Amino acid sequence: MSENVRVRFAPSPTGRLHIGGARTALFNWAYARRHGGKFILRVEDTDRERSTAEFESAILEGMSWLGMDWDEGPVVGGDFGPYRQSERLEAHLEVAEELEKGGHAYRCFCTSERLGELREKQIATKQTAAYDRKCTALTQDEVTHNLAAGLPSVLRFRVPEGETKFTDEIRGDVSFSNKEVDDWIMLRADGSPTYNFVVVCDDSAMKITHVIRGEEHLTNTPKQVLLYRALGLEAPSFAHLPLILGTDKKKLSKRTGDTALDDYRERGFPPEAVMNFLCLQGWALDGETEVFSIDQLAKNFAFSAVSKGGSVFDLQKFLWLAGEYTQKGELEALVERAKPFMVSAGLMTQAELSERGEWLKAAIGSVQERVRIYSEIPEQLAYLFATDAEVVYDEKAVKNAKKRGVDAMSNYFEWVRPRLESSSTPAELREETRTWIGENGFKFPDLFQPLRCALTGAAGGPDLFDVMELLGPESSLARIQHGLSRLVDSE
RNA sequence: GGCCCCGUCGUCUAGUCGGGCCUAGGACACCAGGUUUUCAUCCUGGCGACGGGGGUUCAAAUCCCCCCGGGGUCACCA
């Protein structure tokens, strides 16, 4: 049974990839990999108005960024193509005709106005909103006549009597009374097919065995199951994933925070962390392990470990997880990932990136353990690019410095000048300075607080001897000198 | 409102199927302490939940019923 698993992710290219969609893709991908099956990508571009090629390629790119690959779909092809829904129209229309001939579908000439009124009335009288089947009373002759007269019409699915049940892989048995299922529209007045119709056509044509999607599709499922039955086909298994919620506990929307995968990518979240965090929304590897790789996901994913309830998206935990990757990963890799952020922040040019490669590596190394996302790197390194006379002093840094006064730094300046210029190593200078502090009757903060402010303008940060190394002797001394006057005066 | 789904710390979750090993475990956040020149990291400790009420049972977070609460969905969008 697990031999021929075929699952699919079917995004519609009408916008950027939503993080909920990205998670759905990840779970589909993982299920396929876990069971040695195929992961298929199908682009649902039937909404011709809003679909664009740009969105489509951005979605594919986002999926690759997260570490997914697909066995069939755009770019890679496959035996069940085409993989763009708009190119499958002919097949859809054939199925529609077959259904109409077989009596499973019927023409409806009702106007949208009448339908709108009907719906309002039903909701007002607290009934299930559904088509009242007025047009099922039409005789074959009347239908033919109307069609010949050019009256606009849609094709509706004829929902049979009874009850529709299916077993959801995550929720267990679910059943709907067919009375609650609308005689939904398969073909619009312009002849184009609708979602619920094409999804079944394509899933069956592509031999999809498991439909893994968001819970918002749960109420679509009986419509689709009924359609499979009318087609004489066995329905696939369904697995409805819990929703990702905003802090208001409602389906995550732009109101509550960034919803597009690219928003996080642009903010410098490591892709491994995004993958990891998205999976943690609704799935647990073992209840203990928080940090895991995409390979571990592929080896361990199972429906039984997927939660039923929605999960609130917690940015704090997301940032923490991002930090696990940036702080504990290789410095070389971090440097590569950080480079574009240095450029876009306006700190360095493309040319400087390579000219000052070693220096940049040291600079990033100095902040690695205190950044979580890549965009924080230029923020924390900005002081290195300031003009010596105009280092931006943080309020707290000034407060800390003034509490200690500049006596220590003033004496230290004369002492350290020759040592900086003779290029002693940070480690040597650190030891010598500690001795100097003791010999001169100061306490560590007496020197370090004002020195930190003068050098970096910040209240916290990397070891000051590393900072001076990055700054170089000239700049270091200049900053100390400016600090001496700035910290005494007005500021 | 109809229908459907869901309900363990503030948040993500383990435990629920096959009741006892649960004085309910882990993580984020928060609080306190230690380490550090500072910040961060790291270490230690703390705070903190089975929505409510009835059953069944020697025993219930786990099984049954009712209530309450939250969400999803009701398109010629997907």
Side-chain angles (χ1 to χ4, degrees), chain A residues 43-101:
Chain A
V43 180
E44 309 220 319
D45 58 347
T46 50
D47 185 339
R48 306 304 293 160
E49 301 287 302
R50 298 188 298 145
S51 297
T52 72
E54 286 70 36
F55 282 136
E56 179 185 316
S57 54
I59 289 169
L60 304 199
E61 222 277 308
M63 290 179 62
S64 303
W65 181 69
L66 284 176
M68 286 178 270
D69 56 346
W70 49 97
D71 306 298
E72 296 174 26
V75 185
V76 299
D79 297 337
F80 296 81
Y83 293 93
R84 250 176 228 104
Q85 213 154 48
S86 59
E87 294 166 18
R88 307 176 65 85
L89 184 63
E90 256 180 70
H92 300 150
L93 297 182
E94 274 172 36
V95 177
E97 202 181 322
E98 179 194 327
L99 252 10
E100 189 174 1
K101 278 184 183 149

Side-chain angles (χ1 to χ4, degrees), chain A residues 144-353:
Chain A
T144 313
H145 178 265
N146 283 349
L147 252 20
L151 281 183
S153 70
V154 299
L155 187 68
R156 283 184 185 275
F157 181 75
R158 192 189 302 276
V159 174
E161 299 279 301
E163 200 178 11
T164 303
K165 301 180 191 173
F166 60 92
T167 302
D168 188 280
E169 297 278 359
I170 294 166
R171 279 147 227 286
D173 293 340
V174 180
S175 69
F176 291 82
S177 162
N178 288 5
K179 289 194 186 73
E180 304 296 335
V181 185
D182 200 9
D183 270 6
W184 51 284
I185 293 171
M186 292 168 43
L187 295 182
R188 302 187 183 94
D190 68 0
S192 66
T194 61
Y195 167 75
N196 281 117
F197 176 52
V198 284
V199 80
V200 169
C201 291
D202 292 342
D203 282 343
S204 61
M206 292 180 179
K207 304 244 184 306
I208 300 302
T209 57
H210 301 259
V211 172
I212 306 167
R213 65 210 332 186
E215 194 188 340
E216 68 265 30
H217 286 288
L218 198 56
T219 48
N220 281 328
T221 311
K223 294 177 184 175
Q224 296 172 14
V225 169
L226 253 15
L227 182 48
Y228 277 103
R229 234 174 259 165
L231 255 16
L233 298 167
E234 196 185 331
S237 292
F238 292 94
H240 288 94
L241 270 17
L243 265 14
I244 296 181
L245 277 21
T247 40
D248 58 358
K249 302 254 188 178
K250 293 192 167 127
K251 197 161 72 161
L252 190 66
S253 71
K254 283 165 199 139
R255 299 186 76 86
T256 11
D258 288 335
T259 53
L261 181 69
D262 284 346
D263 289 326
Y264 296 93
R265 186 176 181 176
E266 284 157 16
R267 287 169 68 181
F269 280 80
E272 297 82 1
V274 178
M275 177 286 302
N276 193 155
F277 183 70
L278 254 22
C279 289
L280 247 19
Q281 299 285 297
W283 180 72
L285 196 153
D286 56 13
E288 295 279 301
T289 312
E290 306 280 337
V291 183
F292 51 80
S293 67
I294 196 165
D295 290 333
Q296 282 172 285
L297 168 69
K299 283 200 184 75
N300 295 285
F301 181 78
F303 291 133
S304 60
V306 175
S307 308
K308 295 185 180 76
S311 53
V312 174
F313 188 86
D314 181 7
L315 189 61
Q316 285 296 340
K317 186 158 184 175
F318 194 6
L319 283 166
W320 166 77
L321 194 56
E324 289 296 299
Y325 286 89
T326 49
Q327 293 166 9
K328 289 168 188 165
E330 291 294 322
L331 177 57
E332 285 76 10
L334 181 60
V335 172
E336 288 312 309
R337 296 266 182 91
K339 280 179 177 176
F341 290 86
M342 294 300 287
V343 174
S344 63
L347 260 29
M348 295 177 86
T349 64
Q350 205 62 44
E352 287 169 331
L353 245 29

